[in-house]
C-alpha cells in the first residue's frame, strides 16, 4: 500500500507523510545542534509554499517559531526582530529582502535555508543539512511548551506578542478538523499566507491532524486559482472574503473547470463574509460555504457554522467550535441572548496571556479567566454568534454606534458593487461620519447618489454613508483582510470644517427659510440660526433630525427625505429642497 501524500505544490513532486515526519525531525535536530534552546525565538522569513510549511514545523519542533511577512520593509523588520527578541533568523528564497541586512546590523545570526525545484515539495537544506542528513532526533516538545509567537495586527497602538503553546495549536487543529468533518481523504488548497494563523492552523495543521493533504500554493493568485483546482482536485479551500470575491468573478467566466472540480465545501474566516458573496459562492461552486470566526489569541478558530446536515445561519459565524463563548457587558457580566456585548472566550486553544505585557493582560482577561476579544456581538437563543464589528472600528456618529460590516453588506447587495468597505471619517461636531469606498463590477455603473439612496431605503438614515468613493482597489492587510483603520486619511475624506465657522451669519430671507428657522429654534432651543449653520454642528443628532424633518413635512405639506437633509443640513439647503417639492406639488 502506497504511503499517503501530505504536501503538494505546483511544479513539484508530492511529499508523503512518512517523508514529512523524517524531514521535520531531522531539521529540528539540526537546529538544536546549533545551540538553540527550546524557549529561544527563531524568526522565519520565506515565500509562501511547501518549504514555509515544513520549516515552520521544524522550527516549532526545536524552539519557538516567529514567522514574519516576507514583504516587510527594513524598519518593520527591525521592529519585529528586536521586539520578539529573535535569537536567529531563518531565511531563504528571497534575494531582494532587506531582512539579511537588518539582521546583520542588529547582530542576529542568519541561517540560510535553500531548496531545489527537483526536490519533493517541502524538502529543504539548512546550512549543511541536506534532505537526507542528520539521523539523530530530539525530545519532542510538551503541551505547555511555546511553539509559536505572533504579533497582533495593531492599528494605532503597539502590537502585542501572542505566545501559543503546542497544546493551543493542537487543540485548535482538532477543533477545525472536527467542525469541518475532515478525514484522510480530504485535500486542502491553501492560498492563505503561512505567516498567519489562518493558514497555519486551519489549512496546514488541521489537515495534517487527520493525515489529510495540503496543496501549498505560492500565495493567492486569482489568475491561477482555477488552474490549481483543476490540477490538484482539492476537496476544500479556506480564504478571506476579498479572496472569495476575486475567485467568483473568474469562476463565473470559466464554468467548465468549475463544474469539473471535486470540492465538497468552501470555508471563509478572518473577516465577516457578506451574505451576497456567500450566496454567489454557493451558486457558483454548488457546494456549502462554511463561515467561521477566529483570532490569533485563540490559535485561530472560535466558532463555525456547521456543514450539512447541520443548519447554518447566514449572517452568523455559527456556534462555539472550540473554546467556550460568552458575551459580556462593560462590567464583565454575561448578558442574555439577543443582547449586544463584547465577545469573550475561554478554552484549551486560547493563549494564557500576552508576552511581557501585564497592562494588556489586565485589560484583556477577566478575573475568572475569560479573554475579551475586542469584538462586539450577540448570541441568539440557539447559541449562534453574530459579529457586529470590532469595538475599535465601530463608527461613533454623535453617539449613534454604526457597525461597518452592516453597511458593507447592503452596498454589496447592489448589483453593480463588487467590493465595499465602510469606515469612519473625522467630523468636527459628530466625532465621526460614515463613508464608504466601493469597486464596481466590470461593465456596470452606479452613481454616488444611487448607492446612497439604495442604502437609505434599507438602513436607518444615520447609517447612510455621507460619501461614497469609487476606487480601483481597496487597501487590504497581508492576509487579504480589509483595512478600515487609516482609510479616511488615505482617501482624503474628512468632514472637519464646520460650515458655521466658514460662513458669516446670514438671517433667514424667505418665508420658507423663516419657517424652517422657527422649527429649528423650537426643537434645538437655540437662538435664531443663520441659513448656513449646520444642524448637526448646532447640537442636532439623527433623532432630532428625524423629528425636524417630520415637523417640516407636517407644517409645509411636503415630502422630504432624510437623505436630502443629510446632503445639506442647513436652512438654505433644506429650503431649496422644500421649495422644489412645493413647486412639483403645485404642478401636479
Amino acid at each position: 500500500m502506497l504511503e499517503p501524500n501530505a504536501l503538494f505544490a505546483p511544479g513539484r513532486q508530492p511529499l508523503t507523510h512518512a517523508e514529512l515526519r523524517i524531514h521535520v525531525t531531522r531539521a529540528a535536530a539540526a537546529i538544536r545542534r546549533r545551540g538553540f534552546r527550546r524557549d529561544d525565538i527563531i524568526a522565519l522569513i520565506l515565500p509562501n509554499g511547501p518549504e514555509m510549511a515544513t520549516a515552520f514545523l521544524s522550527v516549532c519542533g526545536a524552539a519557538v517559531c516567529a514567522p514574519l511577512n516576507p514583504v516587510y520593509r527594513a524598519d518593520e523588520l527591525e521592529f519585529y526582530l528586536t521586539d520578539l527578541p529573535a535569537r536567529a533568523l531563518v531565511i531563504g528564497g528571497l534575494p531582494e529582502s532587506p531582512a539579511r541586512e537588518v539582521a546583520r546590523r542588529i547582530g542576529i545570526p542568519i541561517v540560510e535555508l535553500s531548496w531545489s525545484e527537483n526536490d519533493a515539495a517541502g524538502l529543504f537544506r539548512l546550512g549543511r543539512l541536506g534532505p537526507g542528513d542528520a539521523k539523530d532526533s530530539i525530545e519532542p516538545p510538551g503541551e505547555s511548551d511555546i511553539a509559536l509567537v505572533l504579533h497582533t495586527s495593531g492599528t494605532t497602538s503597539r502590537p502585542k506578542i501572542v505566545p501559543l503553546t503546542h497544546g493551543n495549536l493542537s487543540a485548535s487543529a482538532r477543533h477545525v478538523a472536527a467542525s469541518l468533518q475532515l478525514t484522510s481523504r480530504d485535500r486542502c488548497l491553501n492560498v492563505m499566507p503561512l505567516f498567519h494563523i489562518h493558514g497555519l492552523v486551519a489549512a496546514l495543521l488541521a489537515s495534517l491532524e487527520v493525515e489529510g493533504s495540503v496543496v501549498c500554493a505560492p500565495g493567492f493568485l486569482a489568475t491561477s486559482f482555477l488552474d490549481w483546482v483543476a490540477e490538484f482536485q482539492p476537496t476544500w479551500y479556506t480564504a478571506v472574503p476579498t479572496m472569495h470575491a476575486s475567485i467568483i468573478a473568474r469562476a463565473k467566466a470559466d464554468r467548465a473547470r468549475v463544474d469539473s472540480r471535486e470540492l465538497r465545501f468552501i470555508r471563509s474566516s478572518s473577516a465577516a463574509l457578506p451574505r451576497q458573496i456567500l450566496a454567489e459562492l454557493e451558486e457558483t461552486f454548488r457546494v456549502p460555504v462554511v463561515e467561521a470566526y477566529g483570532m490569533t489569541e485563540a490559535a485561530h478558530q472560535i466558532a463555525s457554522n456547521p456543514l450539512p446536515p447541520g443548519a447554518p445561519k447566514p449572517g452568523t459565524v455559527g456556534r462555539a467550535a472550540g473554546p467556550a463563548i460568552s458575551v459580556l457587558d462593560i462590567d464583565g457580566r454575561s448578558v442574555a441572548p439577543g443582547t449586544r456585548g463584547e465577545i469573550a472566550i475561554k478554552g484549551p486553544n486560547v493563549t494564557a496571556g500576552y508576552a511581557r505585557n501585564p497592562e494588556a493582560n489586565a485589560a484583556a482577561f477577566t478575573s475568572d479567566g475569560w479573554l475579551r476579544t475586542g469584538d462586539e456581538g450577540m448570541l441568539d437563543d440557539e447559541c449562534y454568534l453574530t459579529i457586529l464589528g470590532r469595538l475599535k472600528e465601530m463608527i461613533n456618529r454623535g453617539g449613534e454606534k454604526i457597525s461597518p460590516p452592516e453597511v458593507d453588506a447592503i452596498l454589496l447587495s447592489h448589483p453593480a458593487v463588487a467590493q465595499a468597505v465602510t469606515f469612519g471619517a473625522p467630523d468636527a461636531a459628530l466625532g465621526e461620519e460614515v463613508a464608504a469606498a466601493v469597486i464596481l463590477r466590470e461593465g456596470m455603473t452606479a452613481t454616488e447618489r444611487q448607492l446612497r439612496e439604495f442604502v437609505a431605503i434599507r438602513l436607518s438614515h444615520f447609517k447612510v454613508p455621507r460619501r461614497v468613493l469609487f476606487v480601483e482597489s481597496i487597501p487590504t492587510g497581508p492576509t487579504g483582510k480589509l483595512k478600515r483603520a487609516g482609510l479616511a486619511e488615505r482617501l482624503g475624506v474628512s468632514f472637519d470644517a464646520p460650515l458655521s465657522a466658514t460662513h458669516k451669519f446670514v438671517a433667514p430671507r424667505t418665508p420658507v427659510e423663516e419657517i424652517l428657522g422657527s422649527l429649528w429654534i423650537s426643537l434645538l432651543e437655540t437662538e435664531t440660526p443663520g441659513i448656513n449653520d449646520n444642524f448637526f454642528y448646532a447640537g442636532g443628532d439623527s433623532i432630532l433630525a428625524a423629528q425636524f424633518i417630520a415637523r417640516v413635512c407636517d407644517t409645509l405639506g411636503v415630502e422630504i427625505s432624510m437623505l436630502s437633509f443629510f446632503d445639506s443640513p442647513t436652512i438654505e439647503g433644506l429650503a431649496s429642497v422644500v421649495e422644489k417639492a412645493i413647486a412639483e406639488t403645485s404642478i401636479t
Side-chain angles (χ1 to χ4, degrees):
M1 183 176 177
L2 292 176
E3 172 71 22
N5 291 315
L7 299 182
F8 294 82
R12 306 285 292 281
Q13 291 297 312
L15 188 72
T16 68
H17 279 279
E19 291 169 332
L20 174 63
R21 285 189 291 269
I22 292 170
H23 182 67
V24 166
T25 300
R26 289 173 172 172
I31 291 170
R32 291 295 290 277
R33 284 203 312 274
R34 289 171 177 258
F36 296 111
R37 301 185 305 271
R38 175 71 64 196
D39 57 355
D40 285 335
I41 296 176
I42 298 178
L44 178 63
I45 303 181
L46 294 171
N48 223 44
E51 287 72 36
M52 179 63 185
T54 52
F56 163 72
L57 296 171
S58 301
V59 175
C60 285
V64 179
C65 186
L68 298 178
N69 188 342
V71 302
Y72 279 151
R73 302 185 306 271
D75 57 340
E76 294 172 310
L77 287 166
E78 183 168 350
F79 167 78
Y80 288 116
L81 289 171
T82 55
D83 192 54
L84 286 168
R87 280 285 317 281
L89 168 66
V90 174
I91 185 171
L94 298 165
E96 303 301 321
S97 173
R100 293 176 180 84
E101 180 184 344
V102 172
R104 292 188 187 101
R105 186 172 70 247
I106 61 179
I108 295 177
I110 299 170
V111 180
E112 290 286 348
L113 185 148
S114 61
W115 62 90
S116 166
E117 294 300 313
N118 295 322
D119 292 330
L123 294 184
F124 59 77
R125 292 160 182 82
L126 195 63
R128 294 190 299 273
L129 172 71
D133 298 337
K135 297 179 181 180
D136 54 327
S137 61
I138 57 174
E139 187 71 20
E143 289 273 301
S144 60
D145 287 323
I146 304 296
L148 171 68
V149 289
L150 294 169
H151 279 87
T152 58
S153 53
T155 52
T156 57
S157 60
R158 184 185 181 92
K160 300 183 287 288
I161 297 175
V162 181
L164 295 167
T165 65
H166 286 270
N168 293 149
L169 295 178
S170 297
S172 195
R174 291 193 300 271
H175 297 160
V176 173
S179 65
L180 299 178
Q181 304 166 25
L182 297 181
T183 72
S184 59
R185 295 185 297 276
D186 280 304
R187 179 176 300 168
C188 175
L189 171 55
N190 179 47
V191 292
M192 291 297 299
L194 288 173
F195 56 80
H196 186 265
I197 197 71
H198 183 158
L200 286 173
V201 174
L204 179 64
L205 296 185
S207 296
L208 297 181
E209 172 71 23
V210 296
E211 295 282 306
S213 57
V214 186
V215 180
C216 297
F220 175 66
L221 298 173
T223 53
S224 301
F225 180 83
L226 291 179
D227 293 333
W228 295 333
V229 169
E231 179 181 358
F232 295 104
Q233 291 295 304
T235 60
W236 66 290
Y237 79 90
T238 183
V240 296
T242 52
M243 293 177 180
H244 294 308
S246 298
I247 289 167
I248 289 169
R250 296 184 180 277
K252 286 183 175 180
D254 197 346
R255 284 254 45 113
R257 279 195 293 181
V258 170
D259 289 342
S260 66
R261 83 294 175 271
E262 295 293 328
L263 291 174
R264 71 178 179 90
F265 68 88
I266 294 169
R267 182 179 185 270
S268 185
S269 189
S270 297
L273 180 66
R275 293 194 187 192
Q276 181 67 22
I277 293 180
L278 188 153
E280 288 191 62
L281 274 174
E282 292 191 331
E283 178 185 357
T284 302
F285 288 97
R286 301 189 183 99
V287 296
V289 174
V290 175
E291 184 173 8
Y293 165 52
M295 66 184 300
T296 302
E297 289 87 337
H300 184 49
Q301 183 162 283
I302 295 172
S304 179
N305 266 293
L307 281 164
K313 283 190 180 181
T316 78
V317 292
R319 293 170 167 157
I325 298 174
S326 184
V327 176
L328 309 178
D329 64 16
I330 195 170
D331 296 318
R333 295 172 301 205
S334 295
V335 300
T339 305
R340 301 168 73 116
E342 184 174 7
I343 300 166
I345 57 175
K346 182 194 293 187
N349 58 313
V350 180
T351 182
Y354 301 106
R356 309 189 312 276
N357 201 329
E359 295 83 4
N361 289 327
F365 288 88
T366 66
S367 58
D368 51 352
W370 289 94
L371 170 65
R372 294 181 176 274
T373 64
D375 290 324
E376 185 177 37
M378 60 183 178
L379 291 163
D380 65 15
D381 291 332
E382 295 180 301
C383 294
Y384 282 77
L385 179 65
T386 298
I387 308 295
L388 301 173
R390 290 292 294 170
L391 289 169
K392 291 182 179 179
E393 288 183 347
M394 298 293 283
I395 301 171
N396 188 348
R397 185 186 180 280
E400 299 281 6
K401 299 296 177 61
I402 299 155
S403 172
E406 181 183 13
V407 185
D408 291 350
I410 298 300
L411 285 167
L412 285 165
S413 68
H414 189 284
V417 176
Q419 294 186 47
V421 56
T422 305
F423 57 94
D427 185 280
L430 299 173
E432 288 183 293
E433 182 57 275
V434 186
V438 303
I439 298 174
L440 296 178
R441 294 183 185 274
E442 188 174 351
M444 303 192 75
T445 61
T447 66
E448 180 179 12
R449 179 77 182 188
Q450 288 171 338
L451 292 182
R452 293 181 69 239
E453 289 178 342
F454 183 81
V455 176
I457 63 175
R458 291 164 174 81
L459 292 178
S460 300
H461 51 266
F462 64 87
K463 299 179 182 179
V464 178
R466 188 169 162 191
R467 286 290 311 279
V468 176
L469 294 90
F470 297 97
V471 297
E472 294 184 359
S473 63
I474 293 175
T476 60
T479 62
K481 292 171 65 174
L482 296 174
K483 294 186 69 174
R484 302 184 200 275
L487 198 53
E489 181 179 3
R490 186 175 305 187
L491 297 177
V493 183
S494 175
F495 307 98
D496 263 349
L499 293 178
S500 58
T502 58
H503 295 272
K504 293 181 179 179
F505 175 82
V506 179
R509 303 158 300 183
T510 68
V512 170
E513 288 179 353
E514 289 176 354
I515 292 171
L516 295 178
S518 297
L519 295 173
W520 178 307
I521 293 169
S522 66
L523 189 64
L524 296 184
E525 298 180 351
T526 63
E527 297 179 355
T528 302
I531 62 172
N532 292 314
D533 288 353
N534 187 296
F535 182 85
F536 298 105
Y537 299 149
D541 57 22
S542 58
I543 296 174
L544 290 173
Q547 296 174 6
F548 181 53
I549 293 302
R551 293 186 186 184
V552 170
C553 293
D554 290 342
T555 302
L556 297 174
V558 293
E559 290 295 327
I560 303 296
S561 72
M562 283 295 299
L563 189 59
S564 296
F565 185 50
F566 274 20
D567 282 341
S568 185
T570 65
I571 288 176
E572 182 180 45
L574 185 57
S576 175
V577 175
V578 169
E579 288 164 356
K580 181 180 179 181
I582 291 174
E584 291 175 348
T585 302
S586 62
I587 291 174
T588 58

